[in-house]
Amino acid sequence: MKLALLVGAAAAPLLFVQPVFAQEATQVDEIVVTGRRPIAESEAAALQVQRNSDSLVSVVAADSVGRLPDQNIAQAVARVPGAAVESDQGQARYVSLRGAPNYWTTLSINGIGIVSPEGRDTRYDSLPSAIASQIVVNKAVTPDLTGETISGNINIITRSAFDYPGLSIAGKLGAGRAELGDRDMYEGQLVVSDRFDTGFGEIGLLASGSYFERNMVTDNYEIDWELVSQDVQPDGAGVGGNRLWARETENKLYRLTRTNYSYSGRLDWSPTDGHRVFFESIFSTFTDDEARDNYIFDTDDRQNDPSVPPRSAAAPCTIATTGVVTNTAYADVCVGNTSLVGTVYGIDINQRATLRAFEQSIFTNTLGGEHALGEWDLDWRLNFTRSRDDRSVVGEARYESPSTRNLRPTIFYAFNDVDLHNIELYNTITTGTGAATTYSRGARVTNIDDFQRNLTQLTSLDAVDETEAYTARFDLTRQLSLMGADARVTFGGQYDIRTKEANERQMVLNSAAQFAAAGTSTTFAPVSLSTPFAGDIRMGYTFRYFDLEAMRAQIARASALNAFNPLLGNFYNVEEEIYAGYGAIRLGYDWGSVLAGARVEHITNTGQAFVPLAGVSTLITTEGEQTIIYPSVHVNYDIDEDRKLRVSFSTGAARPDYDQLRPNFTFNDANQTISGGNPDAQPERAYGVDAYYEWYIQPQGFFSAGLFYKRVEDVLFSDTRVFGSTVLNTAGVDRSQYRLSTLVNGGDGYIWGFEGALQLQLDPYVEQLDLPEWMGGFGINVNVTANESQATTPGGTRVTLPGTSDVVYNLAGYYEKYGLSARLNYRKRTAWLDGYGPASDGGNTYWAADDEMDASIRYAVTDNLEVYVDGSNLLNNPGRRYVRESQYTIEWERFGRRIDAGIRFSF
């Protein structure tokens, strides 16, 4: 039997170059797809690769003209069984496989591991789908793949001119609208390729480019919860202590322009049969120009005043809701306040006007070859990749309330509705003097600018993290007969050296003399706009946006007079060197195959950073090394021509990220926080088993069901605790009680669960079910993952693994006939643990359950031209994090629906 894919245009590109263990072809039933049916075409191509693989994989493939329907790689992978995405401002960014932490999944391009600009937490929204012809998700890794993965590896197979029969041109032009703020979006793609017969072999040339711009606004509120040491006073019901209070609450109101653009080129040369050499260069960039207005209400700024009495009586207090208090009433149940509803008197407004210019880019270059050398096949790759994370802040102005209490606001807060950040502002009335002073609520104030706020600081930051990675690898493969089987033995080696360096320079103005010299306004109104509020969030006050051009102008004047000084405490340089070798054997029998082997990696890490020793910044160096062996076995049993059983044993590790290995600390005096690296953090080690049943339903369909289990040792946790050291104390500032956030190892853990998937089209069954022909266009694509996990925290308690959802599922229905192709996709993941936190901050933090719906409609006007309409984030649900329990929101954001339309063309 053979596989045929018959369409109204060019045949679908089915090139699959990596991993080497997935290249063994088998005969499959004929699949016939008539007409222009991109969904059916891409599913057919994906199932071919998936069926032929020697290990457990899921595949996303392009349609007949090499197009993926998604705008970035994260959106494409979200359709894979077991995949879940984490979004930022409504756009898919990180990928989690089978509900596990996102950093357990690694990224490669044509088999070469890629370090993301952020490090091991790979951001897939910076990679446009225009560069890919296939995306292969390896869930049970083989020895040729890097050992630094636990959940799996996502391998992007890029386009080649040899995928197409000759000259090929494909592109896309579109525009759209973001509902929230009524902002514009634009996108375009172009891929041109051709191949040429010459006197010295065949040459293929391919060039591509893409551009996607979206202008947005985002609604946000955040609350920072804490346990208050003075709050042990029982309330009127006799309940005392262990209450959470909002130490500060804020609105972050965003105006954004986000852009993805990429360009790439590839040259393939095949001098003779059995030999091919190629060079490929890809540059991909994500930019985020962000204007953010922050209004922070510092509710606990007076809790340590000497006038505040301790709330520690053993008996319940008599609640007196007179509206007259002798302190701010923060965390005071005796005046009627609760964690979720209450009034706080005369508190500080911290305002931040921030203009950021973030840019993340990946520049990867690969020279490679594939050669038949007698009885051996040789594949080799040389790669250089530079990843750059520019976190620069063009300018930030900070404004604060005066110290006089009656010039500050009194706020009423109500947080009992998680979708409503209810803050009302009032004047503060003071009566009496000294210890006899009382405070009460005055008239309602609806314009926040009625409260005085003075400029206290103006800063500009240059912050760039840059990673350079060099890779050399080879694979030698030979076919032979062994133990009564058709055998294939493979040996390979790989060398990687990666260096990540972070550098920051900052200009700070914080005195009246500096403000005057730079001509900087010390009040907000002269540098603000009268632009109406662009968002939809209900707010209890009005405000003015800051003027972007005014910010740029005052930073330009300030930088002409003031230097940018290096922030030595934020500098680090971490180098990672890896020597790897592997060997494997595949035994092919009539009943299936066995693939077994092992990979050995020797890793050396070196870190440098400045540490304050005796008040002097001193460069220190740390070193560490280890050797890890990763064995694996994959058994594939063919029940019959269309059904398989797959059983795998695989091992892997998740190493701490580069910034987490830095040997230094950075601090924020405004927030009284410290963050630091931990060069002694050990990798998480995992041992996993997979058992799956697959049924390739003829003529085109798929069903699978399977169980997986992974045991994990030395689970990594982001931990927050009291710093407890005086090493960072300088200039009379005591930082010993600041909250330290760092990465530490806990104990062991596990994750196990079930995964199921179903793909079906109605078309093959229309005749036997006596249905009208038009109903043959319907199809479904459904998958679900359910799991359970546990891990031991550094404190010895048992929690779910950070980043794991109990249930993840995708439901897609589509209709495809008569040139029309329409898809509706719904995906959901249940709540998951975000981070392990101390009781003083409320405990562990969680992401609330997330569900999203997208839709796409395409109509083929001709074989070469189609029109499309895409809708994303159609449910318009917010993203939300909380602490302890769902009621205690720590972050809430809404982004709005997005609709875009345009044309796709191919020749």
Side-chain angles (χ1 to χ4, degrees):
M1 291 173 288
K2 62 179 181 178
L3 181 142
L5 190 62
L6 307 178
V7 295
L14 298 177
L15 175 70
F16 183 59
V17 298
Q18 202 280 331
V20 294
F21 297 127
Q23 294 177 356
E24 187 74 8
T26 61
Q27 300 287 57
V28 300
D29 288 331
E30 183 176 12
I31 296 175
V32 178
V33 180
T34 58
R36 286 286 299 122
R37 301 181 63 178
I39 297 175
E41 294 160 10
S42 61
E43 286 187 354
L47 290 176
Q48 180 198 17
V49 175
Q50 185 171 307
R51 181 173 186 168
N52 294 347
S53 174
D54 285 325
S55 62
L56 182 63
V57 302
S58 295
V59 180
V60 178
D63 64 18
S64 64
V65 291
R67 298 177 305 203
L68 289 169
D70 310 281
Q71 288 160 334
N72 67 52
I73 297 298
Q75 290 174 316
V77 175
R79 295 186 271 119
V80 164
V85 296
E86 296 178 28
S87 299
D88 178 76
Q89 310 239 9
Q91 296 166 48
R93 171 167 291 181
Y94 303 105
V95 174
S96 166
L97 291 179
R98 299 198 285 202
N102 61 52
Y103 65 89
W104 281 10
T105 303
T106 54
L107 166 69
S108 60
I109 298 179
N110 294 326
I112 297 294
I114 301 297
V115 179
S116 168
E118 288 189 359
R120 302 198 209 276
D121 291 347
T122 302
R123 282 185 53 166
Y124 294 87
D125 62 344
S126 62
L127 294 166
S129 62
I131 68 173
S133 66
Q134 289 178 355
I135 305 169
V136 181
V137 181
N138 299 271
K139 298 176 182 177
V141 296
T142 49
D144 60 317
L145 295 172
T146 176
E148 59 176 318
T149 182
I150 293 179
S151 290
N153 173 264
I154 295 175
N155 187 37
I156 300 171
I157 309 298
T158 60
R159 308 168 190 259
S160 165
F162 286 176
D163 297 348
Y164 306 94
L167 176 64
S168 175
I169 301 173
K172 174 182 180 181
L173 287 173
R177 206 74 171 162
E179 177 189 45
L180 186 59
D182 196 24
R183 301 299 173 98
D184 294 327
M185 302 189 301
Y186 309 95
E187 61 178 329
Q189 294 178 7
L190 183 64
V191 181
V192 180
S193 70
D194 204 355
R195 50 200 298 177
F196 309 91
D197 286 320
T198 69
F200 48 89
E202 186 175 16
I203 290 178
L205 294 172
L206 181 145
S208 71
S210 68
Y211 182 84
F212 178 35
E213 175 188 314
R214 52 264 187 224
N215 297 281
M216 309 163 53
V217 299
T218 300
D219 291 337
N220 168 287
Y221 80 83
E222 298 186 15
I223 303 175
D224 192 5
W225 300 92
E226 68 174 350
L227 292 174
V228 177
S229 59
Q230 300 98 323
D231 177 33
V232 294
Q233 168 70 57
D235 60 18
V239 179
N242 200 35
R243 286 177 287 249
L244 293 181
W245 298 90
R247 67 157 61 94
E248 65 181 30
T249 182
E250 66 178 303
N251 284 112
K252 288 183 180 177
L253 306 164
Y254 295 86
R255 293 164 288 162
L256 305 165
T257 297
R258 287 185 163 180
T259 305
N260 289 82
Y261 62 90
S262 71
Y263 44 87
S264 64
R266 176 166 172 144
L267 168 67
D268 287 87
W269 175 43
S270 179
T272 61
D273 289 342
H275 295 273
R276 181 166 73 164
V277 177
F278 73 90
F279 175 74
E280 181 174 55
S281 182
I282 301 172
F283 181 79
S284 177
T285 294
F286 168 84
T287 67
D288 187 356
D289 296 320
E290 174 185 296
R292 188 177 72 193
D293 289 89
N294 278 44
Y295 290 93
I296 306 169
F297 303 97
D298 191 4
T299 54
D300 74 342
D301 71 324
R302 296 283 181 141
Q303 73 164 302
N304 293 318
D305 279 4
S307 62
V308 177
R311 296 176 285 277
S312 57
C317 61
T318 300
I319 296 178
T321 56
T322 62
V324 178
V325 300
T326 58
N327 53 65
T328 66
Y330 174 65
D332 193 346
V333 298
C334 299
V335 299
N337 283 348
T338 71
S339 299
L340 301 177
V341 180
T343 302
V344 186
Y345 300 82
I347 58 98
D348 186 19
I349 300 175
N350 294 324
Q351 180 187 347
R352 307 284 186 264
T354 308
L355 179 60
R356 298 184 174 187
F358 286 3
E359 182 174 343
Q360 293 194 337
S361 63
I362 296 175
F363 179 46
T364 183
N365 305 270
T366 303
L367 176 66
E370 301 163 5
H371 309 279
L373 304 175
E375 295 180 338
W376 291 90
D377 292 327
L378 169 66
D379 285 6
W380 58 274
R381 303 285 188 271
L382 299 174
N383 175 269
F384 167 71
T385 297
R386 177 184 290 119
S387 297
R388 196 168 187 268
D389 185 8
D390 188 337
R391 301 173 286 104
S392 296
V393 178
V394 175
E396 180 177 86
R398 299 188 174 193
Y399 304 85
E400 295 190 15
S401 301
S403 58
T404 305
R405 293 282 287 279
N406 60 4
L407 297 179
R408 294 177 163 204
T410 287
I411 70 165
F412 168 79
Y413 62 88
F415 303 143
N416 42 2
D417 182 347
V418 297
D419 290 318
L420 175 63
H421 185 235
N422 191 1
I423 294 289
E424 296 177 2
L425 308 180
Y426 297 84
N427 286 318
T428 301
I429 299 175
T430 61
T431 304
T433 60
T437 303
T438 60
Y439 306 93
S440 59
R441 191 171 82 180
R444 173 82 183 271
V445 178
T446 57
N447 184 354
I448 198 169
D449 291 325
D450 288 350
F451 291 105
Q452 180 181 342
R453 303 179 311 283
N454 299 318
L455 181 68
T456 59
Q457 189 177 85
L458 180 68
T459 63
S460 182
L461 174 70
D462 288 336
V464 177
D465 301 347
E466 191 166 271
T467 306
E468 291 192 347
Y470 296 86
T471 299
R473 65 169 291 170
F474 73 91
D475 299 287
L476 273 171
T477 303
R478 181 179 177 180
Q479 307 283 346
L480 69 159
S481 295
L482 185 66
M483 294 186 290
D486 293 328
R488 183 181 67 227
V489 295
T490 304
F491 303 95
Q494 183 167 323
Y495 172 76
D496 293 273
I497 184 166
R498 306 163 180 167
T499 303
K500 182 167 186 174
E501 184 168 295
N503 288 281
E504 296 185 8
R505 301 183 310 130
Q506 188 175 43
M507 177 188 68
V508 180
L509 281 67
N510 52 22
S511 70
Q514 289 175 313
F515 299 150
T520 300
S521 174
T522 58
T523 57
F524 181 62
V527 291
S528 65
L529 302 169
S530 58
T531 304
F533 177 45
D536 286 341
I537 190 172
R538 291 174 58 186
M539 298 173 60
Y541 56 90
T542 60
F543 72 100
R544 292 169 65 92
Y545 288 112
F546 76 87
D547 186 335
L548 278 65
E549 295 309 315
M551 174 68 76
R552 292 189 178 100
Q554 64 186 11
I555 290 297
R557 293 192 299 269
S559 59
L561 302 173
N562 299 273
F564 280 76
N565 297 313
L567 299 179
L568 296 181
N570 292 355
F571 166 85
Y572 66 86
N573 179 292
V574 174
E575 182 180 278
E576 181 176 65
E577 188 175 30
I578 306 170
Y579 293 90
Y582 76 90
I585 183 169
R586 179 193 186 274
L587 301 175
Y589 297 96
D590 293 340
W591 52 264
S593 65
V594 177
L595 171 64
R599 184 182 185 91
V600 181
E601 292 186 349
H602 179 77
I603 308 111
T604 302
N605 287 103
T606 304
Q608 289 187 318
F610 287 95
V611 174
L613 300 177
V616 177
S617 291
T618 304
L619 185 66
I620 66 169
T621 300
T622 59
E623 294 183 353
E625 62 178 329
Q626 61 185 161
T627 300
I628 305 177
I629 301 175
Y630 303 101
S632 62
V633 179
H634 306 267
V635 179
N636 303 286
Y637 178 72
D638 296 330
I639 300 172
D640 55 32
E641 290 182 336
D642 300 320
R643 294 181 296 165
K644 285 177 174 283
L645 286 178
R646 297 186 188 269
V647 179
S648 298
F649 167 78
S650 58
T651 55
R655 296 200 284 273
D657 213 337
Y658 302 100
D659 62 328
Q660 295 166 337
L661 293 171
R662 72 187 193 272
N664 72 333
F665 299 103
T666 59
F667 53 81
N668 184 314
D669 286 328
N671 296 330
Q672 295 191 354
T673 58
I674 299 172
S675 62
N678 181 5
D680 295 325
Q682 297 299 305
E684 297 171 310
R685 297 288 306 276
Y687 313 87
V689 177
D690 301 273
Y692 276 67
Y693 167 79
E694 296 179 347
W695 179 18
Y696 293 85
I697 305 169
Q698 300 305 322
Q700 184 180 355
F702 176 69
F703 170 78
S704 72
L707 299 173
F708 58 89
Y709 173 84
K710 292 186 185 293
R711 173 181 169 80
V712 189
E713 297 176 351
D714 297 321
V715 178
L716 291 166
F717 286 88
S718 295
D719 186 31
T720 302
R721 60 186 67 178
V722 175
F723 185 51
S725 171
T726 60
V727 68
L728 296 181
N729 291 359
T730 56
V733 179
D734 181 8
R735 300 184 177 93
S736 62
Q737 297 304 304
Y738 284 13
R739 287 171 295 140
L740 167 67
S741 297
T742 189
L743 188 78
V744 296
N745 290 104
D748 61 357
Y750 67 83
I751 180 171
W752 73 276
F754 165 83
E755 181 182 295
L758 174 66
Q759 297 177 21
L760 274 181
Q761 290 179 287
L762 191 57
D763 199 44
Y765 310 103
V766 165
E767 185 175 346
Q768 67 187 76
L769 295 176
D770 196 25
L771 298 174
E773 182 184 350
W774 64 267
M775 292 191 67
F778 287 104
I780 60 170
N781 190 330
V782 179
N783 57 75
V784 60
T785 303
N787 66 48
E788 179 180 304
S789 68
Q790 274 198 354
T792 303
T793 69
T797 59
R798 298 287 284 180
V799 297
T800 58
L801 274 168
T804 62
S805 294
D806 291 341
V807 179
V808 177
Y809 61 87
N810 293 274
L811 307 175
Y814 63 86
Y815 184 84
E816 193 168 49
K817 208 170 182 67
Y818 312 118
L820 176 67
S821 179
R823 182 197 297 263
L824 183 66
N825 189 85
Y826 174 80
R827 58 181 180 265
K828 180 169 184 175
R829 64 180 301 189
T830 57
W832 67 95
L833 177 66
D834 182 46
Y836 168 71
S840 60
D841 291 334
N844 302 332
T845 60
Y846 301 85
W847 277 100
D850 174 63
D851 61 341
E852 300 180 31
M853 182 178 290
D854 302 325
S856 64
I857 301 174
R858 286 155 173 72
Y859 180 72
V861 181
T862 69
D863 286 344
N864 305 109
L865 178 68
E866 70 177 21
V867 294
Y868 72 90
V869 178
D870 290 338
S872 57
N873 198 37
L874 297 179
L875 299 178
N876 195 26
N877 288 331
R880 190 170 70 90
R881 292 190 301 140
Y882 60 89
V883 66
R884 184 187 285 185
E885 57 188 76
S886 183
Q887 185 66 64
Y888 295 105
T889 299
I890 56 178
E891 182 177 14
W892 182 100
E893 284 187 325
R894 179 167 277 149
F895 329 99
R897 301 174 182 88
R898 295 188 295 276
I899 306 292
D900 64 301
I903 61 170
R904 293 172 180 260
F905 55 88
S906 59
F907 303 96

